[in-house]
Structure formats: C-alpha cells, structure tokens
Amino acid sequence: MYNSQVWKCLIVVALRLLFLVPAGVPARSGESYLKDNITVRQGDSAVLKCNVDNKVSRVAWLNRTTILFTGNEKWSLDPRVVLLNTALTEYSIKIINVNLYDEGPYVCSILTNKKPESTKVHLIVQVPARIVNISTDVSVNEGSNVSLMCLAIGRPEPSILWKFRSSKSIRIITEGEYVEMTGITKDMSGSYDCITSNDISPPDVRTVQVTVNYPPVISRARSTGTAVGQKGVLWCEASAVPLADFQWYKGERRLLNGLNGVKIENKGKQSMLTFFNVSEEDYGNYTCVAMNTLGITNASIILYGPGAIHDLNNAALSPTSSFLLLTLVLTLSVLSKF
C-alpha cells in the first residue's frame, strides 16, 4: 500500500515535469493557447474540447492542481467527469451535472515531439435566480406602516421586481429587495408578488398576502315601500375587515331574528331584514348597525307604505341616539376582548 502511494506521487510529479505544467498552469517554455470561456447552467453538462493530431505522444486534462485524465487513464475520483470517445483529432472530457465547485480554469496539456503545448479554458457556471427568503403574510390595521422583504440568489446577480395584484388593479410598484408602505390604506390590501430573474431560467415568483383591517363602511342602504299584507325587505351592505356583525333596531329597540314576524339574515357584507306580512305598525324608521373590533357605523332606513313621500335614493347615514350609541360601544368593547 505504501509503495503504491509513493509510486502515484512520483507519477504526478513526473507528469507535471513532463508537461511543464506546475500547479496546473501552462509553462512559459512551451506554447499556450487561451480558448473562449465555456458557460453552462448549474445542473447541465459541460464538454471541454482539446484538438490533437498524430504527432501527439502524451496528453492530459488538469483542473487547477488536479490531474483528471492522462491519456485514457482516469485520475479523478469524481464520477461526473468522463472521457468522451470522440474523433482521433479530439481529446475531450465531459462534466455531468455541473455545480459551482466546478467553475475555474482547465488545462489540456499535450506533448508533441518532446515539445509541450497547452490549451486553457475557463468554465463559468451560471445559477438560475431563486428566492431564498421572503416576508410572511401580513395583517395590519389601516394607517400602519408595512415593510416587505424578498431576498434572491443567482449568477449573474438577479433582479427583483414587485407586482401588486388586487380585485381592482394589477401594477408594478417597485424594484429591489424591499417594499416600504407608510400609512397603509384598505386599497393597498392584496397580493404582492416578488419576481426575480437573471435570464438563465424562467423567473422565480413568490407572493406575500397583505390584509388591511379597517372599520365598517356602509356602502349601500335603501328605503323600501311595501303595502300592508305584503312581504317587505330592508337591506344594507357594509365593507369591513374583519367582516362586520350586523344588528337591526327600530328606535332604541333591538330586533331579534324570528320574533314579531321578522327574519334577519346576514350573508358576508350584506344584512337583510324581512317582514313576511307588513302591518301599519311596521312602518317607520329602522337602523342598520355594522360593527367589528375596529369601529361602528350605522344607516337609517325607512319602511313606508304606498303614497308616502320619501327620498328613494340612498338612506341617510346618521348617528344613533345616545342610548343606542352607548349600547353599541359597550358591545364593541366586549367583542374586542375576544
């Protein structure tokens, strides 16, 4: 075993002296040729070619200080490096599944009539852009400041682009690793796509969802005219995050579902108050109240009979009575504890 290791060391020294290539660098006393750089993508295969002729007596491939092949004999322990069976005028090797550690200079050393020559090529490994760190989904109250971060790696250095998507628009907002938003509004709630690319492969895209919480805003509420004995429906719609809870009042009396011939049905942003058999006592002013942990709002809606004169446009948004407002504030404070 010891004699075998010594013999190999002697061969390595002899090859370096023979080819006059100390530490893998072409010798000054011979002729050296610099070929074009070879650029490959990480994970692909690279073929390094070296032209020879029938005058060549010895030939070898070296990488830095390592001998890969001498003639047909493989010295490299890397199974990814193979000698190609090519034409007699070509001495080529192939590196399979190239990675970053393979980047660097490679030298094909040739001995012709006891005169050394070498051809040097430089292998460049490109790495597709990839996102390695990105902000988690964000939920904040309206008016807060928000910072989003997206970090990417790749060779060449990748670019980073941020795109905003919502139900209303899609637009590019900025370039770079960070997005800074001051005094965020509900219109800025949506998906923020981090897109990184270096033209080596398709862009890598990851998304941060930004949710902006805000108090209820009643967007639609309309008075309704219904004859006695008929079915009447009052409804209102409120935008809010989180979704609003609805309550209905007539004066200062809260209406409950299923009592006194009324049904209250809440679906997402909408609430409907249904009268199955309208009576004279049902006519009058009703208040739709929308609330969440961030605030309360209300709208006044009128159920009236035929011939009554009312503004048929949107019902007025008005403050509740002091007693009702106090009740709602107490209710909100209890909800906020949960």
Side-chain angles (χ1 to χ4, degrees):
M1 177 68 71
Y2 175 76
N3 291 335
S4 175
Q5 291 178 346
V6 171
W7 176 246
K8 279 200 168 186
C9 291
L10 290 174
I11 293 178
V12 171
V13 173
L15 280 170
R16 288 175 180 165
L17 291 173
L18 179 64
F19 295 138
L20 297 178
V21 190
V25 180
R28 295 180 181 177
S29 58
E31 295 185 14
S32 176
Y33 304 95
L34 179 61
K35 299 190 71 174
D36 293 337
N37 293 336
I38 298 177
T39 302
V40 296
R41 186 173 62 178
Q42 186 181 39
D44 290 349
S45 296
V47 175
L48 309 182
K49 297 182 180 181
C50 183
N51 296 324
V52 297
D53 54 33
N54 55 10
K55 298 179 182 180
V56 173
S57 58
R58 300 181 186 277
V59 63
W61 269 107
L62 303 92
N63 175 16
R64 302 181 183 91
T65 60
T66 303
I67 297 175
L68 303 176
F69 278 92
T70 60
N72 293 323
E73 183 180 356
K74 182 175 182 179
W75 286 63
S76 172
L77 299 179
D78 192 338
R80 300 176 304 119
V81 182
V82 296
L83 184 66
L84 296 180
N85 294 322
T86 53
L88 295 177
T89 57
E90 187 176 304
Y91 182 67
S92 302
I93 61 172
K94 182 178 183 179
I95 305 173
I96 303 170
N97 191 23
V98 170
N99 59 47
L100 282 175
Y101 301 107
D102 298 317
E103 185 170 278
Y106 289 77
V107 177
C108 176
S109 293
I110 301 171
L111 187 64
T112 304
N113 296 328
K114 298 183 180 181
K115 179 182 178 183
E117 295 180 359
S118 63
T119 300
K120 182 178 179 181
V121 296
H122 195 93
L123 181 63
I124 299 174
V125 180
Q126 294 183 327
V127 181
R130 178 170 60 91
I131 296 171
V132 294
N133 195 5
I134 191 170
S135 298
T136 57
D137 292 345
V138 177
S139 179
V140 296
N141 293 341
E142 192 171 28
S144 301
N145 298 332
V146 175
S147 177
L148 303 182
M149 176 267 297
C150 180
L151 302 180
I153 60 173
R155 300 179 67 187
E157 187 76 18
S159 63
I160 294 178
L161 193 67
W162 286 91
K163 181 170 69 175
F164 171 69
R165 293 183 292 111
S166 70
S167 58
K168 297 180 180 179
S169 67
I170 299 177
R171 65 180 188 274
I172 302 298
I173 54 175
T174 190
E175 296 181 2
E177 296 177 339
Y178 296 93
V179 176
E180 302 289 345
M181 292 176 280
T182 304
I184 195 169
T185 66
K186 59 179 179 290
D187 294 330
M188 299 164 73
S189 180
S191 301
Y192 289 78
D193 296 332
C194 173
I195 306 169
T196 183
S197 174
N198 58 1
D199 297 327
I200 305 303
S201 63
D204 189 19
V205 182
R206 292 177 65 181
T207 301
V208 180
Q209 191 68 35
V210 175
T211 301
V212 180
N213 305 311
Y214 60 95
V217 177
I218 294 181
S219 53
R220 298 184 67 184
R222 190 178 182 88
S223 298
T224 302
T226 304
V228 172
Q230 300 297 312
K231 179 181 178 180
V233 179
L234 300 178
W235 62 273
C236 70
E237 180 178 306
S239 299
V241 177
L243 284 173
D245 294 317
F246 292 92
Q247 294 179 2
W248 287 88
Y249 290 81
K250 185 175 184 182
E252 295 182 352
R253 176 174 60 90
R254 181 180 175 184
L255 304 180
L256 299 178
N257 184 40
L259 298 181
N260 302 319
V262 299
K263 177 183 178 182
I264 298 174
E265 188 175 9
N266 300 326
K267 291 183 178 180
K269 298 192 301 181
Q270 293 186 351
S271 181
M272 293 180 291
L273 175 63
T274 302
F275 302 85
F276 293 102
N277 187 7
V278 173
S279 65
E280 290 286 348
E281 291 75 17
D282 292 328
Y283 293 140
N285 184 72
Y286 291 82
T287 302
C288 170
V289 178
M291 68 181 74
N292 66 9
T293 55
L294 298 179
I296 301 175
T297 190
N298 66 88
S300 178
I301 308 174
I302 301 173
L303 178 67
Y304 57 90
I309 301 175
H310 293 281
D311 181 6
L312 298 182
N313 296 320
N314 291 334
L317 304 182
S318 61
T320 59
S321 66
S322 58
F323 172 79
L324 179 56
L325 183 58
L326 177 61
T327 302
L328 295 175
V329 171
L330 291 175
T331 302
L332 181 61
S333 65
V334 172
L335 288 174
S336 63
K337 294 179 181 179
F338 296 97

